[in-house]
Amino acid sequence: MDENLFNEVLALMDELEDDSSIPRNVRKTSSEAKEKMKDNKESLDLRCATVISELDDISNDPNVPSHGRAAIYTIISKLEALSKS
């Protein structure tokens, strides 16, 4: 596992979670996804796939501002790279 990439993903999730212009349900999902990523009971690939799926679902929310959607896509991209490392 690439520890730097993992920490970068968690930091991006923190930023998304702390952005008050993002709807509350998206921030809550990001917070829950971050906790799932930290849970070492499952393999990294499975954790990444689960979180990618959840983030993809919330990215389609019409209430998410464009900068929030861009941040979600950035996180998804880094999660895909992390799952392959």
Side-chain angles (χ1 to χ4, degrees):
M1 174 176 74
D2 185 350
E3 196 68 36
N4 290 333
L5 187 55
F6 183 80
N7 290 332
E8 187 177 347
V9 167
L10 294 181
L12 288 170
M13 287 180 168
D14 278 337
E15 288 177 19
L16 187 64
E17 194 178 327
D18 293 338
D19 188 345
S20 62
S21 67
I22 305 291
R24 189 176 301 128
N25 65 323
V26 175
R27 289 182 290 169
K28 182 176 183 255
T29 301
S30 176
S31 174
E32 292 168 354
K34 185 176 69 174
E35 293 307 313
K36 286 180 185 176
M37 285 301 296
K38 292 179 181 179
D39 183 13
N40 290 324
K41 294 178 185 171
E42 296 177 345
S43 71
L44 180 63
D45 292 347
L46 184 59
R47 287 182 281 165
C48 287
T50 303
V51 170
I52 287 170
S53 175
E54 291 175 1
L55 292 177
D56 188 47
D57 286 344
I58 62 171
S59 72
N60 295 320
D61 186 331
N63 296 321
V64 177
S66 59
H67 73 278
R69 190 169 285 114
I72 291 169
Y73 290 147
T74 301
I75 294 168
I76 289 172
S77 173
K78 293 192 182 291
L79 283 168
E80 288 171 346
L82 183 63
S83 69
K84 293 177 184 173
S85 67

